[in-house]
């Protein structure tokens, strides 16, 4: 079966088409790093941590993205939406962890110090406005792989509860209005955060995962829901910005 699939869909680089690799070394090297910015004002910030003056009770604590949303990373992220992407996703997650450890070790060091205790990984629920008929959530796959590699719990904590217009067609403030109250905590929470189901709270630090940070409206709104429900620190982690 794998043999047949390999003939039908030979493994090739999502960036340049070179065979026998999901994302080649040249393409990895040409990913441009983003300046680290505060997730609230989007101005430069040390380590991507939210500026002290930008801190809000239910706001993000920081943001880290692998690279700028342009080719070849852009092309790779687009391909995540289609079939047979696990190998590519895994390659991108490996690069993400490597670069994250190298350029912004602050959060990762803290996770290692805590031995993963008190940290969980949550993905932004499906962006079904992105014309994704098969209902495949690439952010969830990124989050699952990341949780395995970092040894953290993965939790489907969020649920989309309201129809929203396609974000891509909206600008700044309208995006924010559009996404407001679009999510809630999933009442069918699986362990390890199951204490919520018994009237508890999330009581955990969270890495919130999405494929791309555009204006940040969606990630900020997800963070708001998580923190309203007891999450302590929430960091946004994306492949691109
Ligand atoms: Zn390539
Ligand atoms: Zn700021």
């Amino acid at each position: 079966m794998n043999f047949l699939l390999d003939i039908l869909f030979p493994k090739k680089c999502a960036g340049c088409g070179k065979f026998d690799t999901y994302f080649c070394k040249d393409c990895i090297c040409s990913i441009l790093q983003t300046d680290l910015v505060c997730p609230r004002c989007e101005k430069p910030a040390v380590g991507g941590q939210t500026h002290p003056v930008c801190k809000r009770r239910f706001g993000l604590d920081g943001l880290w993205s692998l690279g700028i949303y342009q080719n070849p990373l852009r092309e790779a992220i687009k391909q995540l939406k289609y079939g047979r992407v696990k190998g590519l996703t895994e390659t991108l997650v490996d690069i993400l962890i490597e670069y994250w450890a190298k350029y912004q070790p602050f959060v990762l060091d803290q996770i290692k110090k805590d031995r993963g205790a008190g940290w969980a990984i949550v993905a932004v629920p499906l962006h079904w406005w992105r014309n994704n008929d098969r209902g495949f959530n690439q952010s969830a796959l990124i989050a699952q792989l990341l949780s395995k590699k970092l040894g953290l719990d993965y939790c489907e904590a969020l649920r989309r509860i309201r129809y929203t217009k396609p974000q891509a067609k909206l600008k700044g403030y309208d995006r924010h209005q559009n996404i407001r109250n679009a999510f809630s905590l999933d009442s069918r929470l699986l362990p390890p955060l199951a204490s919520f189901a018994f009237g508890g709270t999330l009581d955990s630090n969270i890495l919130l995962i999405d494929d791309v940070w555009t204006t940040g409206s969606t990630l900020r709104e997800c963070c708001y829901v998580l923190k309203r429900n007891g999450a302590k620190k929430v960091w946004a982690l994306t492949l691109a910005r």
Side-chain angles (χ1 to χ4, degrees):
M1 188 62 188
N2 275 339
F3 172 70
L4 248 182
L5 283 171
D6 284 343
I7 290 175
L8 291 171
F9 306 99
K11 197 202 265 189
K12 55 181 181 173
C13 173
C16 66
K18 194 184 285 171
F19 285 104
D20 286 326
T21 170
Y22 290 109
F23 206 56
C24 76
K25 289 224 163 66
D26 291 341
C27 285
I28 291 171
C29 289
S30 58
I31 292 175
L32 290 176
Q33 300 280 295
T34 66
D35 291 329
L36 298 178
V37 297
C38 160
R40 183 173 165 87
C41 68
E42 298 189 77
K43 299 211 171 87
V46 179
Q49 295 183 73
T50 303
H51 296 125
V53 292
C54 292
K55 285 254 184 210
R56 294 294 178 275
R57 193 172 160 211
F58 300 125
L60 284 164
D61 294 282
L63 161 68
W64 192 81
S65 307
L66 171 62
I68 296 172
Y69 190 56
Q70 64 181 45
N71 285 337
L73 186 57
R74 184 168 171 222
E75 190 52 40
I77 291 171
K78 278 188 178 165
Q79 286 191 21
L80 294 188
K81 273 189 277 198
Y82 307 112
R84 282 205 99 211
V85 291
K86 197 158 176 227
L88 175 59
T89 312
E90 194 152 15
T91 305
L92 290 172
V93 167
D94 284 340
I95 306 166
L96 179 113
I97 294 173
E98 193 194 318
Y99 280 42
W100 193 34
K102 202 158 136 191
Y103 297 109
Q104 209 284 34
F106 172 78
V107 181
L108 203 54
D109 284 350
Q110 204 174 329
I111 292 172
K112 281 183 190 150
K113 209 174 77 195
D114 300 344
R115 301 216 169 116
W119 285 86
I121 295 193
V122 173
V124 168
L126 184 61
H127 295 220
W128 37 265
W129 61 72
R130 284 189 189 168
N131 203 8
N132 193 341
D133 301 337
R134 299 184 306 115
F136 173 72
N137 184 353
Q138 61 268 34
S139 299
L141 182 56
I142 297 166
Q144 282 159 10
L145 288 169
L146 200 62
S147 76
K148 259 190 219 144
K149 286 171 195 272
L150 295 178
L152 302 182
D153 292 311
Y154 166 73
C155 179
E156 300 201 338
L158 296 169
R159 206 157 51 96
R160 191 177 288 272
I161 50 167
R162 188 169 66 72
Y163 174 78
T164 48
K165 290 180 203 146
Q167 285 285 85
K169 295 189 178 124
L170 302 170
K171 292 256 175 316
Y173 182 73
D174 291 335
R175 281 192 181 217
H176 173 68
Q177 287 300 99
N178 184 44
I179 208 75
R180 258 184 87 186
N181 305 319
F183 304 100
S184 81
L185 206 67
D186 197 321
S187 53
R188 302 159 300 164
L189 269 189
L190 298 167
L193 306 182
S195 63
F196 177 79
F198 305 104
T201 62
L202 283 172
D203 195 30
S204 180
N205 298 316
I206 287 171
L207 296 177
L208 182 59
I209 311 300
D210 205 356
D211 52 356
V212 185
W213 171 284
T214 311
T215 63
S217 308
T218 306
L219 282 144
R220 284 191 202 103
E221 182 62 22
C222 287
C223 172
Y224 178 81
V225 173
L226 293 170
K227 284 207 167 175
R228 283 293 301 251
N229 286 286
K232 291 188 246 170
K233 278 182 204 141
V234 179
W235 268 75
L237 219 56
T238 68
L239 287 179
R241 183 171 72 84

